């Protein structure tokens, strides 16, 4: 196929583009910088600024605005960015889209959420804004004939917040920010991105960034639908956070005093993804995935 990748130079996009090229697709990526264009060309792809210029058969939507932890801007990208991307795709005659969503926006429950679980539309602010932006993204993507929504788990691995030297690593170490006369710590700055590193009962699901990219490639051949792209082991922070700390050589986290699980902190089930052709996680569990950080 001719594939247009929006977000081609992000954490997923940087791994996705070479995989698409290796699979024989003709890949074009959207970029706003000369450096991004050079990166794409080095990976065997072309760089453009508009969907129409690529004349694609399919669009892969991996746009985010999370490099600096700006959640408000990321919500705007989900709502307005997706709207513009889908409108451009429709004008260009695109009939297939694969779009990035997340797996922790489900309504509260006691077991890992499947794809039939509704989104948490009754959430209170500020969570309500995040859920609403995802609803807008997924509804816009559904306007394309064949639409596959990938509800990813928390990304970990190179280029993500959950990596050696990343924000979670810094938060666990509690290091002072270099050259900051106010004495603000890297822990405070990192916690603004990933939250306080407390080993409580909140359950989440992970996916290695390489497995996230591989799922987007496979999804070009999947039927319309929503699919959780997570590893095999949803887990509470009291299990995975000490393992992450050990993997990166950071101090172990403090245990939570009261457990601290919200109803929506339930993880997600990947049964459907494992039934789809072309995808099995290379890192079936964070337990082994963290050791490769």
């Amino acid at each position: 196929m001719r594939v247009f990748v929006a977000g081609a130079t992000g954490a997923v996009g940087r791994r996705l583009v070479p995989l698409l090229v290796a699979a024989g697709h003709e890949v074009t990526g959207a970029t706003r910088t000369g450096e991004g264009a050079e990166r794409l060309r080095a990976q065997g792809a072309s760089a453009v600024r508009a969907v129409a210029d690529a004349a694609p058969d399919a669009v892969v939507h991996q746009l985010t605005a999370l490099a600096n932890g700006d959640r408000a801007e990321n919500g705007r990208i989900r709502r307005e960015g997706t709207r513009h991307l889908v409108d451009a795709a429709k004008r260009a005659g695109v009939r297939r889209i694969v779009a990035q969503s997340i797996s922790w926006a489900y309504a509260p429950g006691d077991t890992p959420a499947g794809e039939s679980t509704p989104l948490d539309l009754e959430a209170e602010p500020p969570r309500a804004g995040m859920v609403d932006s995802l609803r807008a993204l997924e509804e816009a993507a559904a306007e394309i004939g064949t639409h596959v929504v990938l509800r990813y788990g928390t990304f970990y691995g190179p280029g993500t917040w959950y990596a050696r030297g990343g924000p979670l690593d810094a938060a666990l170490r509690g290091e002072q920010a270099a050259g900051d006369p106010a004495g603000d710590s890297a822990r405070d700055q990192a916690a603004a991105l990933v939250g306080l590193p407390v080993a409580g009962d909140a359950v989440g699901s992970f996916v290695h960034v390489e497995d996230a990219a591989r799922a987007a490639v496979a999804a070009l051949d999947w039927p319309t639908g929503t699919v959780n792209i997570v590893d095999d082991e949803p887990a509470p922070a009291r299990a995975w956070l000490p393992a992450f700390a050990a993997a990166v050589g950071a101090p172990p986290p403090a245990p939570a005093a009261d457990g601290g699980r919200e109803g929506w902190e339930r993880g997600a089930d990947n049964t459907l993804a494992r039934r789809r052709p072309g995808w099995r996680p290379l890192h079936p569990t964070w337990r082994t995935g963290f050791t490769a950080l």
Side-chain angles (χ1 to χ4, degrees):
M1 299 182 190
R2 294 188 304 277
V3 181
F4 178 88
V5 180
T9 57
V12 176
R14 288 196 297 270
R15 289 154 184 82
L16 172 59
V17 168
L19 292 174
L20 289 168
V21 171
H25 299 295
E26 182 182 326
V27 184
T28 303
T31 182
R32 292 173 294 179
T33 68
E35 180 183 359
E38 287 303 315
R39 178 191 291 273
L40 288 170
R41 294 187 187 104
Q43 293 178 323
S46 301
V48 297
R49 295 180 181 271
V51 176
D53 294 339
D57 302 305
V59 166
V60 179
H61 177 6
Q62 298 284 350
L63 286 171
T64 64
L66 286 174
N68 297 314
D70 191 336
R71 288 177 171 81
E73 177 64 9
N74 198 53
R76 189 182 72 81
I77 289 291
R78 285 171 174 157
R79 291 187 300 271
E80 299 177 22
T82 304
R83 179 73 271 157
H84 294 319
L85 181 62
V86 167
D87 287 346
K90 289 161 69 176
R91 288 193 297 271
V94 174
R95 297 184 178 181
R96 176 178 290 271
I97 188 169
V98 175
Q100 178 188 133
S101 188
I102 60 174
S103 65
W104 58 93
Y106 286 113
D110 295 325
T111 59
E115 291 83 357
S116 62
T117 304
L119 293 177
D120 192 7
L121 299 178
E122 302 300 319
E124 297 292 330
R127 176 171 165 80
M130 179 271 286
V131 176
D132 186 66
S133 71
L134 290 168
R135 178 194 56 78
L137 180 154
E138 295 186 6
E139 289 181 354
E143 296 175 16
I144 302 296
T146 302
H147 48 276
V148 182
V149 173
L150 304 179
R151 288 181 177 163
Y152 287 123
T154 299
F155 293 146
Y156 73 97
T160 74
W161 294 349
Y162 293 70
R164 187 181 300 275
L168 181 57
D169 188 351
L172 285 164
R173 295 177 191 279
E175 297 166 343
Q176 291 294 329
D180 187 346
D184 291 335
S185 69
R187 177 189 174 92
D188 294 336
Q189 298 170 14
L193 298 179
V194 298
L196 290 173
V198 178
D201 293 329
V203 176
S205 285
F206 284 95
V207 64
H208 192 282
V209 69
E210 186 73 18
D211 286 324
R214 292 175 57 251
V217 177
L220 288 170
D221 293 319
W222 291 354
T224 286
T226 299
V227 186
N228 290 334
I229 302 299
V230 299
D231 73 14
D232 297 348
E233 189 177 2
R238 57 181 161 76
W240 68 259
L241 191 53
F244 178 91
V248 299
D258 58 359
R261 186 184 87 87
E262 299 288 345
W264 57 267
E265 293 173 321
R266 57 188 296 189
D269 181 88
N270 72 358
T271 300
L272 179 60
R274 280 186 159 272
R275 291 174 178 167
R276 289 285 186 260
W279 191 79
R280 294 289 186 279
L282 297 176
H283 303 278
T285 169
W286 47 269
R287 293 182 188 275
T288 54
F290 285 172
T291 63
L293 290 175

